Amino acid sequence: MVASGRGISMVHTMVFRSELQPMTPERFLGIDSSSSSRRKDLVFIVNPQGANGRTGREWRKLVPYLKSRLGKDCNICESLTSGPCHAIDITREAIREGADAVIAVGGDGTLHEQVVNGFFWAGKPVASQMNESTRSTALGLIPLGTGSDFARTFGWKNDPCEAVERVARGLRSKIDVGVISGESCENHYFINIADIHLSAKAGFHAARYKRFGKLCYVIGALQGFMGHQNKDMRIKFNEGEWVTCPKVTAICAGNAKYFGGGMKITPNADPFTGNLEVVILQDFKWYDFVLKLHKLYNGTHLSVKNVSTRRVLSIEVEDISGKGGIYIQSDGEHLGFLPKKISVLPAAIEMIF
């Protein structure tokens, strides 16, 4: 199986067909002993510039091990991509062609922006728009990014060989996916956390300093605080009535637990429950973050004054002032400004664990 680009010239693609030690069909991707012995198709989406170039370097080191571990029974397609649009196209193409798995190699940006969004098209899962006889495509992850916050929820380390072993075991489970919709844009899907106002503004700035590694989160936070003002907002939970929420500092809707390089902001979020955990910070000053930063990182902040939490199926948020300019992001990608609606799609895709 060869994934091809659409008008993108800065992409290098190759297919490995190794004849090394085979894996048994029983062990690969949950296939039972009665399954056919066909070769499995795996598509790896790699952002070689991720983590200031570290992702590309680590991937080149990993390829020989990957070939030796999986190559006998698998067609391994590697796509080095320089942009999210091309990666999304590759992901959709792989699903339509019946790939066994599309595996993101990188951090949260590669996983979310470049791969997860490729599992959907025209507001629906790509798989739901195909013939039912086509085998389902699972999402996989080899975490090699700056933050790799989604991986933290499952206790996964930035260990590529350990990640390859997960692919080899092939245990699958359906997980929830979040979706962000607005008045003037198409749906955008996320697998980790979507956030609004200060944290989203900080994330917007942090994305410009990824070359500094995890220090980018500190720089982003400092720039986010410059000129920051808490805002009164209108919020609607689960299609209910609008309520006023004064002096909002940040709103986080978590499908998983961590963001910002290890901050456990939605500590009770679980991508298997069919809902999102929403955490709202109100009337926080800069010194509140300094004094309570340790609680935000270890997930014990829910008992702090001016912090509230609830589990939801959806949340809509508007800026009462109507002036605009309140940021929203998900998994490090800036998605514009309010108003927006965030919802959960239960058990939307299969993931390799």
Side-chain angles (χ1 to χ4, degrees), residues 186-208:
E186 64 182 23
N187 290 348
H188 195 93
Y189 301 88
F190 68 96
I191 200 170
N192 193 41
I193 293 174
D195 52 300
I196 294 168
H197 203 22
L198 177 61
S199 56
K201 185 179 179 182
F204 173 78
H205 290 299
R208 300 160 54 193

Side-chain angles (χ1 to χ4, degrees), residues 71-226:
K72 177 62 177 179
D73 286 333
C74 309
N75 300 326
I76 302 173
C77 177
E78 171 202 47
S79 291
L80 304 180
T81 177
S82 60
C85 292
H86 179 243
I88 287 172
D89 284 345
I90 291 174
T91 300
R92 288 173 179 160
E93 180 182 349
I95 294 170
R96 288 167 180 148
E97 292 186 6
D100 288 88
V102 177
I103 299 162
V105 181
D108 297 308
T110 301
L111 174 66
H112 152 259
E113 180 184 5
Q114 300 189 12
V115 179
V116 169
N117 275 274
F119 274 73
F120 299 87
W121 184 73
K124 297 179 180 179
V126 173
S128 71
Q129 304 171 42
M130 297 163 50
N131 189 313
E132 291 184 4
S133 64
T134 304
R135 61 185 180 271
S136 64
T137 302
L139 170 67
L141 174 63
I142 296 180
L144 287 176
T146 302
S148 294
D149 283 310
F150 178 73
R152 295 174 193 269
T153 291
F154 308 104
W156 296 343
K157 302 175 182 177
N158 273 14
D159 183 336
C161 293
E162 181 181 291
V164 170
E165 291 305 311
R166 284 197 297 273
V167 175
R169 288 193 300 270
L171 300 177
R172 295 182 178 205
S173 183
K174 288 189 175 182
I175 63 169
D176 306 332
V177 172
V179 57
I180 300 170
S181 55
E183 296 176 341
S184 60
C185 65
E186 64 182 23
N187 290 348
H188 195 93
Y189 301 88
F190 68 96
I191 200 170
N192 193 41
I193 293 174
D195 52 300
I196 294 168
H197 203 22
L198 177 61
S199 56
K201 185 179 179 182
F204 173 78
H205 290 299
R208 300 160 54 193
Y209 298 98
K210 286 295 182 73
R211 64 186 180 278
F212 296 117
K214 292 187 177 182
L215 185 61
C216 72
Y217 300 112
V218 177
I219 300 173
L222 292 174
Q223 290 201 335
F225 272 117
M226 295 177 61

